[in-house]
Amino acid sequence: MRYFTAFLFLFISITSFSQETLLQKKVTGTIVNGTTSIPLPNVNIININRVKGTISNIRGSFEIDANVNDTLHITMIGFQSLRVRVTNDWVKNGNAKIELTEKAIALEEVVVRKYNLTGYLEVDTKLIPEEENYRYSISGLPQGYEAGEYSPRAFSRVINSIFNPADMLYNFFGKKSKELRRLKEMKKDDTVKNLLETKFDRETISILLGIDKKEIAEILQHCSYSEAFIQTANDLQILDAISQCYEQYKVLKK
């Protein structure tokens, strides 16, 4: 009886492991223009759960590692972003056809200037800010903080948040540890990394962290990053900034 029980337990364990292994499959799909049905190449597909990415080929086809119930985030410039959940039917039946909808955006002429200068020297000298953004180091930490003011209090918000349970960073870093660890995994996947280098909309980061885009700016402000950095950095730089702030937060908390 004892041997039978041991054998039964071993059989159940192997069966469970086999089922989990079977769930870890690749799914394939074809992405097309929802209006013209023309296949779309170079579409970015990211598995949010596993932080893996791929790009559709010239025929609009792609293949990506995915489990049942994983969510794929699909993006392409000029089209509405789309999130698709991997279902049992998709895994069993194979290829799925996914339609993207074009964005209806009327572009107007935009003139970008660093400063709104008038042409009068006396006025313009007052418009150009004298302070620069500094980044200084903290003993024991690999990298320091950027701030609009060259002041010892530039990283005080990060330190104060450790001792203040009501502080935004305290709540964010405490509740989002799993998501923040996921950010580190993103940089290991070249497809995801290359995508973030070209994006400035914070969309992918906000989805992976499960927060609103506006909250990203607030987090970086609490980490003493300058307004100029927050507005001009690409998504990969934003990812690095949040990751560094989190790592420094953990060190200071110890």
Side-chain angles (χ1 to χ4, degrees):
M1 184 65 181
R2 183 172 57 186
Y3 292 107
F4 176 76
T5 303
F7 175 78
L8 181 62
F9 177 77
L10 179 63
F11 175 77
I12 293 173
S13 300
I14 293 174
T15 303
S16 300
F17 177 78
S18 299
Q19 290 177 345
E20 291 178 1
T21 304
L22 288 173
L23 289 175
Q24 297 179 355
K25 293 184 175 181
K26 291 180 180 293
V27 295
T28 59
T30 302
I31 303 177
V32 301
N33 186 318
T35 303
T36 63
S37 295
I38 297 176
L40 296 174
N42 300 318
V43 178
N44 293 282
I45 304 99
I46 297 178
N47 185 329
I48 296 175
N49 301 81
R50 305 186 67 180
V51 199
K52 298 292 183 181
T54 188
I55 299 175
S56 62
N57 61 24
I58 193 171
R59 296 181 297 276
S61 301
F62 71 91
E63 181 181 76
I64 191 170
D65 293 336
N67 294 331
V68 174
N69 292 326
D70 280 358
T71 299
L72 305 185
H73 182 57
I74 303 172
T75 59
M76 184 179 185
I77 295 176
F79 289 82
Q80 297 285 353
S81 299
L82 185 66
R83 273 183 280 180
V84 180
R85 186 173 295 277
V86 177
T87 63
N88 278 302
D89 290 340
W90 188 355
V91 174
K92 291 179 182 178
N93 298 331
N95 192 68
K97 182 180 178 181
I98 301 172
E99 298 182 350
L100 291 186
T101 303
E102 291 186 71
K103 289 182 178 179
I105 300 177
L107 296 179
E108 298 178 356
E109 183 180 3
V110 178
V111 179
V112 179
R113 296 187 179 93
K114 189 172 183 180
Y115 307 113
N116 292 321
L117 303 182
T118 65
Y120 295 96
L121 182 60
E122 185 178 354
V123 177
D124 291 343
T125 53
K126 297 178 180 179
L127 292 175
I128 300 175
E130 296 179 0
E131 295 179 347
E132 297 180 357
N133 297 322
Y134 292 90
R135 190 166 185 83
Y136 48 91
S137 61
I138 303 173
S139 178
L141 298 180
Q143 299 195 30
Y145 292 91
E146 178 184 5
E149 296 182 10
Y150 187 60
S151 166
R153 291 180 294 177
F155 58 93
S156 60
R157 289 182 179 178
V158 179
I159 296 177
N160 290 339
S161 68
I162 295 172
F163 306 102
N164 182 7
D167 188 89
M168 180 184 182
L169 287 184
Y170 187 99
N171 290 321
F172 175 73
F173 287 149
K175 296 177 181 178
K176 296 289 184 180
S177 57
K178 180 180 178 180
E179 288 82 356
L180 287 161
R181 287 194 297 270
R182 188 183 296 171
L183 289 185
K184 297 179 64 176
E185 295 297 319
M186 291 176 65
K187 293 190 65 176
K188 297 179 182 179
D189 189 289
D190 289 337
T191 302
V192 178
K193 182 178 177 180
N194 294 337
L195 170 63
L196 293 177
E197 281 183 326
T198 63
K199 290 175 69 71
F200 293 80
D201 58 11
R202 319 302 189 231
E203 180 184 23
T204 305
I205 296 177
S206 66
I207 289 173
L208 288 168
L209 290 177
I211 60 176
D212 188 82
K213 293 181 183 180
K214 295 180 180 179
E215 292 182 84
I216 295 176
E218 294 178 15
I219 292 165
L220 293 173
Q221 288 170 356
H222 278 70
C223 290
S224 294
Y225 280 90
S226 68
E227 190 66 27
F229 173 83
I230 296 171
Q231 292 181 0
T232 61
N234 62 41
D235 285 4
L236 183 62
Q237 292 171 319
I238 295 295
L239 180 150
D240 280 334
I242 295 177
S243 298
Q244 289 174 14
C245 187
Y246 177 55
E247 293 300 321
Q248 294 167 354
Y249 176 90
K250 290 194 298 182
V251 172
L252 291 172
K253 190 174 181 180
K254 292 179 181 179

